[in-house]
Amino acid sequence: MTWRNSACMSIGRVACPDANTLVTPIGRKRPSAIDDFYAATSTALTRVDPNFIATYGDDVVGLLFVGLISSTENYFRDILGFTLTICPVAQAHSSDEKVQLGSLLWAEGPLQNRSAFEFHAFSSAESIRKAVQNFTCYQVRSNGTFALMLGEYDKLCELRHAVVHSGHIVAGKNAIKLGLKRSATPLKVKLGYAELQAAGSVCTALVQAANTELFEALTVRWATTWRQLPSWTPSDEGKLLRAIRAAFLSKRDGANKTIAGASKASQFEADVRAEFNL
């Protein structure tokens, strides 16, 4: 033993477990990205009670908080991947976008379009806006709920940076973006049960608003723009409209009777056709 070993204990070399033992195939996904989001976030928001959080504190809540952001990012990967699968306008607009070779080598079937976003972080309002614009040829409405909630989501993402990258300590650029008061000592993100629920409400409102706005945009394209393209096949129009509805429709919200529009697929299709005189 020398002074070189006097700073801390060393347990020596330790191997990571076999990566194959750390992953598992998931079961059949739900038909819609929003129901996948609901399922993922309900676990984070309901499985841990306030007493547990009060006992174990910020670290546990931080992990759940990061999980909320991750589930929100996953929603955008899923729904934008679906849009690339079905929308010829999105396909043409994004045809020059770069995709990581590893994503293509690994992905199969429906995962291929989702893999376009493996290099893209959805952990800021700007990154979501750019992805929607660059890959789907759609600009988020400036006065809509989607745009409003992106601003609120951005605040969560600044806090997430501290939790993930610096042990809950807020970095200077994040503090400035959040408009925090200057401090002579480091600031630490403090999260409790109430703050976790509030963050969950922001993420949920964002996903719901995005789902509604993008659903409308694709349905309008089905009724108008797609029909003007050489690739349009009239015999497929019913199948395409049903695919759009299925990808965006929340069965959970339907079961809870919290959807205001037509509840039956036949009535939905009739309403769309009537509006666009089809």
Side-chain angles (χ1 to χ4, degrees):
M1 298 294 291
T2 70
W3 63 267
R4 300 177 190 278
N5 308 108
S6 65
C8 69
M9 173 184 171
S10 173
I11 62 173
R13 180 184 177 185
V14 178
C16 177
D18 179 359
N20 287 295
T21 67
L22 303 179
V23 297
T24 186
I26 61 174
R28 182 178 178 274
K29 289 174 67 63
R30 295 166 183 81
S32 69
I34 190 169
D35 276 345
D36 277 332
F37 168 82
Y38 283 153
T41 55
S42 65
T43 298
L45 294 171
T46 63
R47 297 293 176 85
V48 181
D49 63 40
N51 291 331
F52 182 89
I53 288 176
T55 301
Y56 294 100
D58 293 346
D59 290 335
V60 170
V61 184
L63 294 174
L64 298 174
F65 174 72
V66 170
L68 291 176
I69 304 297
S70 178
S71 297
T72 305
E73 292 189 81
N74 196 52
Y75 164 81
F76 284 103
R77 290 191 176 92
D78 277 344
I79 207 61
L80 296 183
F82 166 77
T83 302
L84 281 178
T85 300
I86 199 170
C87 180
V89 175
Q91 291 166 3
H93 185 76
S94 63
S95 60
D96 287 333
E97 291 292 328
K98 295 179 175 60
V99 178
Q100 298 285 351
L101 179 60
S103 300
L104 294 179
L105 292 174
W106 173 258
E108 295 182 4
L111 286 178
Q112 287 184 336
N113 288 324
R114 190 183 190 277
S115 69
F117 308 102
E118 287 187 0
F119 67 95
H120 193 100
F122 291 92
S123 55
S124 72
E126 185 60 23
S127 66
I128 293 175
R129 287 181 188 275
K130 285 184 177 179
V132 171
Q133 172 63 40
N134 293 346
F135 286 93
T136 72
C137 194
Y138 178 78
Q139 188 168 358
V140 178
R141 288 198 294 262
S142 60
N143 59 345
T145 306
F146 186 4
L148 175 65
M149 291 313 305
L150 280 173
E152 297 303 308
Y153 176 71
D154 224 17
K155 299 173 187 176
L156 299 184
C157 291
E158 297 300 334
L159 295 171
R160 168 196 169 277
H161 187 277
V163 174
V164 172
H165 297 291
S166 55
H168 291 235
I169 303 300
V170 181
K173 72 170 187 176
N174 304 112
I176 291 172
K177 289 182 178 180
L178 287 167
L180 300 179
K181 296 179 180 178
R182 290 185 177 275
S183 173
T185 58
L187 297 176
K188 182 180 180 180
V189 175
K190 182 179 180 182
L191 298 169
Y193 183 80
E195 291 75 20
L196 181 67
Q197 298 300 316
S201 295
V202 169
C203 292
T204 300
L206 170 63
V207 167
Q208 290 173 340
N211 202 68
T212 298
E213 190 166 323
L214 295 174
F215 169 62
E216 178 185 345
L218 274 190
T219 303
V220 170
R221 285 182 183 179
W222 171 88
T224 58
T225 314
W226 292 4
R227 295 167 185 272
Q228 309 305 315
L229 299 173
S231 60
W232 177 252
T233 304
S235 60
D236 289 340
E237 63 177 352
K239 179 177 67 175
L240 290 171
L241 185 59
R242 289 190 292 273
I244 292 171
R245 184 174 186 265
F248 288 90
L249 178 66
S250 169
K251 289 189 174 181
R252 193 196 80 164
D253 288 342
N256 292 337
K257 301 185 184 305
T258 54
I259 299 176
S263 59
K264 294 184 178 180
S266 57
Q267 186 59 55
F268 161 73
E269 184 170 343
D271 289 347
V272 173
R273 291 184 179 278
E275 178 173 335
F276 294 94
N277 296 315
L278 299 174

